Amino acid sequence: MKFPFALTIAVIFFSRSVFSQRQDTLLYNSDTTLQLTKYLDSSESDVNKKISARQYFNLLARDFKQQVTTPFHMSRKDWAKFGIFAAGTISLMLVDEPMQQFAVGLRNRNTSLRQVSSYVTKFGGLYEAYALVGLGTYGFVFKNEKMQTTTLLATQSYITSAAMVFLLKTITGRQRPSYYDPFRAEAEPTFRGPFFHGGRNASGKRINTSFPSGHTTATFSVATVYAMEYRNKPWVPILSYATAGLVGLSRIAENKHWFTDVLVGATLGYLTGKQVVKNYHRYSTLKYPEQKKNTLSFNLRYDNGVIMPGLVYKFH
């Protein structure tokens, strides 16, 4: 197995998402930190406003900028974490081949598993796009503002993660397990660098490169957005992550990806979705600050054996 310089560069870019999700200073201050922490600790957000077209593309550009530029701003602590992550990833690459052979063999021996796998894997591609369109349509037809906003954030996460996957695939040039080499009995999980474009499979069909798994990244990037925005409904995170996990496993069983392709894709998708949600709520907190209003409330007070009603008016 080869680990070229291109792979090292790719993992550095990927480590941006894992170790150094720095806050964007344009829409960030100390008050926002407290409010954002309050949001992340609560069951659901108090700030969920509509996103205009201009806001959408501004946030999208900021998401991608953070993804790409952080390797140039990593601290010594970030680099230490990167070293641990890189070592762990490379170690797990040693089991790529046996895991791929086991998964494909299990799929080939089980007709039901083969049918389920071939269906589930589509949710990382066209079916996921259909699902986003369906959820977005539901939000607009029934005037569900939270669903509208969440679906728009999910598309931001999808686009940002897709851009990062394209960059990483281009840099690493890893062979897919379905890659056909007439001089080898089976494909190897080899990294060929930026000049390798994927080759062809045994049927002569052109295929792209393997690292990381685009389907897995996409499903986890979208699943994370819905899981975070609907964390007050436990079944939503469970369903979201279960679906994304099954898609990742199906990519191995379908002989499309190695295990570490899926692992890195899942991590990248999760962290991209988390970043998109954080950026949006940080922006919303500043754009729509909480309005403190005067309040009037009724209370009862017990004093010397007598219950006394009263009104409390608070000025803000």
Side-chain angles (χ1 to χ4, degrees):
M1 186 184 302
K2 299 178 181 179
F3 301 102
F5 178 71
L7 174 59
T8 304
I9 298 299
V11 179
I12 289 174
F13 273 98
F14 170 71
S15 69
R16 176 270 163 273
S17 299
V18 181
F19 307 120
S20 189
Q21 291 195 11
R22 296 184 180 277
Q23 309 298 342
D24 190 29
T25 56
L26 182 61
L27 289 172
Y28 182 78
N29 57 35
S30 58
D31 292 335
T32 309
T33 306
L34 181 61
Q35 295 179 56
L36 181 60
T37 303
K38 179 182 177 182
Y39 156 70
L40 292 174
D41 290 338
S42 65
S43 61
E44 61 181 323
S45 171
D46 295 327
V47 183
N48 204 289
K49 304 297 182 181
K50 290 182 178 180
I51 303 177
S52 68
R54 181 178 179 180
Q55 292 167 348
Y56 179 91
F57 288 107
N58 283 342
L59 287 169
L60 180 61
R62 202 164 309 286
D63 293 333
F64 184 68
K65 178 184 176 182
Q66 287 180 332
Q67 291 279 349
V68 173
T69 61
T70 298
F72 303 103
H73 306 287
M74 290 172 65
S75 67
R76 184 177 300 177
K77 185 177 180 181
D78 294 330
W79 282 109
K81 291 180 180 179
F82 162 70
I84 296 172
F85 171 77
T89 301
I90 291 173
S91 298
L92 288 172
M93 286 179 179
L94 298 175
V95 301
D96 273 333
E97 287 187 85
M99 290 197 67
Q100 177 261 343
Q101 292 168 1
F102 172 79
V104 172
L106 186 64
R107 174 187 179 277
N108 290 339
R109 292 191 299 270
N110 191 313
T111 303
S112 298
L113 179 61
R114 184 162 59 248
Q115 292 174 344
V116 171
S117 177
S118 62
Y119 177 75
V120 168
T121 198
K122 296 176 182 178
F123 280 93
L126 196 58
Y127 283 16
E128 184 167 22
Y130 291 157
L132 286 173
V133 170
L135 290 170
T137 301
Y138 167 84
F140 282 99
V141 170
F142 292 97
K143 302 186 185 304
N144 187 324
E145 188 171 295
K146 186 176 182 69
M147 180 60 73
Q148 294 174 28
T149 302
T150 302
T151 302
L152 288 173
L153 293 178
T155 63
Q156 282 188 342
S157 186
Y158 186 100
I159 294 169
T160 304
S161 65
M164 291 305 299
V165 166
F166 176 80
L167 177 62
L168 291 171
K169 283 180 179 287
T170 301
I171 293 173
T172 59
R174 193 184 202 186
Q175 289 181 176
R176 284 184 182 265
S178 56
Y179 172 75
Y180 174 70
D181 185 342
F183 301 103
R184 286 181 176 270
E186 58 186 30
E188 298 289 331
T190 304
F191 292 87
R192 294 197 174 191
F195 301 104
F196 181 66
H197 299 292
R200 299 180 184 276
N201 61 19
S203 302
K205 183 180 178 180
R206 189 141 189 107
I207 55 178
N208 62 0
T209 53
S210 186
F211 183 89
S213 167
H215 282 61
T216 308
T217 304
T219 50
F220 270 92
S221 70
V222 170
T224 301
V225 172
Y226 284 100
M228 290 185 70
E229 289 296 275
Y230 287 93
R231 59 170 55 190
N232 62 313
K233 302 180 187 300
W235 66 269
V236 175
I238 292 173
L239 178 62
S240 298
Y241 287 129
T243 301
L246 289 173
V247 169
L249 293 174
S250 74
R251 300 308 288 167
I252 303 174
E254 292 295 308
N255 202 35
K256 302 296 184 182
H257 285 285
W258 309 101
F259 168 68
T260 49
D261 297 340
V262 170
L263 178 65
V264 171
T267 307
L268 177 60
Y270 168 76
L271 292 167
T272 300
K274 187 176 179 181
Q275 176 201 52
V276 167
V277 172
K278 283 185 174 182
N279 281 349
Y280 166 70
H281 284 284
R282 187 163 62 249
Y283 175 86
S284 294
T285 301
L286 292 173
K287 183 72 175 177
Y288 307 100
E290 183 178 352
Q291 299 295 323
K292 294 183 177 180
K293 300 178 180 179
N294 298 340
T295 59
L296 179 67
S297 60
F298 174 82
N299 72 352
L300 295 174
R301 187 178 68 177
Y302 182 80
D303 190 11
N304 296 324
V306 179
I307 298 176
M308 303 179 64
L311 294 174
V312 178
Y313 189 80
K314 291 184 179 182
F315 295 89
H316 294 287

